[in-house]
Amino acid sequence: MLEHHGPDSPQALRDMPFMWNLFQFCLVLPLGCALTTFALTRAIGVNDAYVAPWVTFLSLFAIYVFDRVFETDGDIENHAIRSAFFKRNKVLLKLTASVALILSIGLGFLGYGIYGAGFALLPFIAVILYSIGGAIPVGRFRLRIPQLKKIPGVKNLTVAITLSTLITGLPAVAAPVGVAMPLLLILWTFLLLRFLINTITFDLRDIAGDTAAGTRTIATLWGKNQTLRMLHGLNCLIGGGLIVVAILYDPATRITLWLLPSSLFTASYLWWIGSRPVKNVVYDVLVDGEITFWGLLICASSLI
């Protein structure tokens, strides 16, 4: 399965610098989420805004690496070069991820007590919950529990809830009690829907491999065109919701109006994906890199 050629083949791995592969496969999402956490923390008026983004970055880097290292065989069909990268550097990446996870828990506890440590562990707990399944002996019987991640849409929703809760939860813990909670709830909803689009978009990339492997996702069940229509509709709903919130809730007007261009960004890459073949690197950098764009918009809303 690994013996194929082209820009997304394992043979291309040796032509790419280690740091580029590390950035593309491990750092784009954690960096974007860390920037968004920093922006939210500053936006609600917390001056000491540097612990929360570090906890976010280290926690997501660790769990993302662990998830990829332990699923390299399942990754081969859709992402041969990524699978080869994680297999080749498994020991180094596992060690680095272990240190990152310990640091995230320690920083979370030192910065925000037990709540900070809990948020640092949240992605790890989520991955365990949606991966558990199989036959469990109950007396003389065996109770079969399906893995949640194999139920179409459940993994997408779990990832979206986890990331949006981590990014908004740490600023909520850092802020004085009751400060900016309605605004953070609005932004939690925004991030939840955005991450839902993000994760389903990656399922679009994997339709061929998931279909061959018998993996059921929203994209394999609905097909590319219908899934894209649903994502465009959800994106329009987000844009409309931002406008309504800007009109009805004054404290959120500035930040929600600044976030409106995110709908244009999403519509652009959904149109691009729907109109032509797109390389894996575009998904890894552009779609996951969208999160950095959100962070920059939130930063701009509080600075300009």
Side-chain angles (χ1 to χ4, degrees):
M1 190 67 67
L2 287 174
E3 300 302 323
H4 70 274
H5 301 272
D8 291 324
S9 68
Q11 286 76 11
L13 185 62
R14 59 174 171 266
D15 299 324
M16 296 184 183
F18 173 85
M19 289 306 298
W20 168 250
N21 285 314
L22 185 69
F23 172 75
Q24 177 185 343
F25 300 139
C26 306
L27 297 179
V28 176
L29 176 68
L31 285 172
C33 290
L35 174 61
T36 304
T37 303
F38 171 78
L40 284 180
T41 309
R42 293 302 298 267
I44 63 174
V46 177
N47 293 324
D48 184 14
Y50 299 100
V51 175
W54 273 109
V55 174
T56 300
F57 170 75
L58 292 169
S59 175
L60 292 180
F61 170 78
I63 198 58
Y64 195 81
V65 170
F66 280 135
D67 190 48
R68 295 274 65 84
V69 164
F70 290 111
E71 291 196 4
T72 50
D73 291 336
D75 229 12
I76 292 175
E77 189 68 43
N78 290 318
H79 316 287
I81 189 170
R82 187 173 72 184
S83 177
F85 172 74
F86 279 100
K87 280 188 173 183
R88 177 177 296 184
N89 301 286
K90 180 182 293 188
V91 175
L92 175 61
L93 291 172
K94 285 169 66 176
L95 177 61
T96 306
S98 299
V99 173
L101 182 60
I102 293 170
L103 285 175
S104 70
I105 296 169
L107 278 175
F109 182 77
L110 290 174
Y112 312 115
I114 190 67
Y115 294 107
F119 277 115
L121 278 170
L122 182 62
F124 188 77
I125 294 169
V127 169
I128 292 175
L129 287 177
Y130 72 59
S131 298
I132 291 175
I136 301 176
V138 180
R140 293 184 301 171
F141 303 97
R142 297 182 71 82
L143 178 63
R144 291 194 172 275
I145 300 177
Q147 285 184 308
L148 291 178
K149 68 180 181 180
K150 292 185 177 179
I151 302 174
V154 171
K155 182 175 180 179
N156 304 101
L157 187 59
T158 303
V159 171
I161 291 173
T162 300
L163 293 177
S164 56
T165 301
L166 177 64
I167 290 172
T168 56
L170 286 169
V173 171
V177 177
V179 172
M181 289 304 112
L183 176 59
L184 286 174
L185 182 59
I186 290 168
L187 293 172
W188 179 85
T189 305
F190 166 80
L191 291 171
L192 171 67
L193 297 176
R194 280 273 171 251
F195 279 120
L196 196 57
I197 292 176
N198 181 279
T199 59
I200 296 173
T201 299
F202 277 99
D203 287 341
L204 284 173
R205 172 181 67 177
D206 300 340
I207 284 179
D210 286 342
T211 301
T215 302
R216 298 167 70 239
T217 66
I218 291 175
T220 60
L221 292 176
W222 288 11
K224 181 177 180 178
N225 292 335
Q226 189 172 344
T227 302
L228 278 169
R229 283 194 290 270
M230 183 269 289
L231 293 178
H232 276 297
L234 188 54
N235 185 45
C236 290
L237 177 65
I238 295 172
L242 289 172
I243 294 172
V244 170
V245 170
I247 295 171
L248 298 180
Y249 186 62
D250 287 344
T253 298
R254 187 178 185 85
I255 195 169
T256 49
L257 288 178
W258 268 99
L259 284 171
L260 270 177
S262 67
S263 289
L264 296 176
F265 187 97
T266 301
S268 298
Y269 75 64
L270 288 177
W271 170 81
W272 191 10
I273 290 168
S275 62
R276 69 196 66 193
V278 179
K279 295 180 181 179
N280 282 345
V281 65
V282 174
Y283 281 90
D284 291 327
V285 176
L286 182 63
V287 181
D288 269 349
E290 176 189 21
I291 302 159
T292 301
F293 183 53
W294 308 338
L296 291 173
L297 291 175
I298 296 171
C299 282
S301 73
S302 59
L303 295 175
I304 299 176

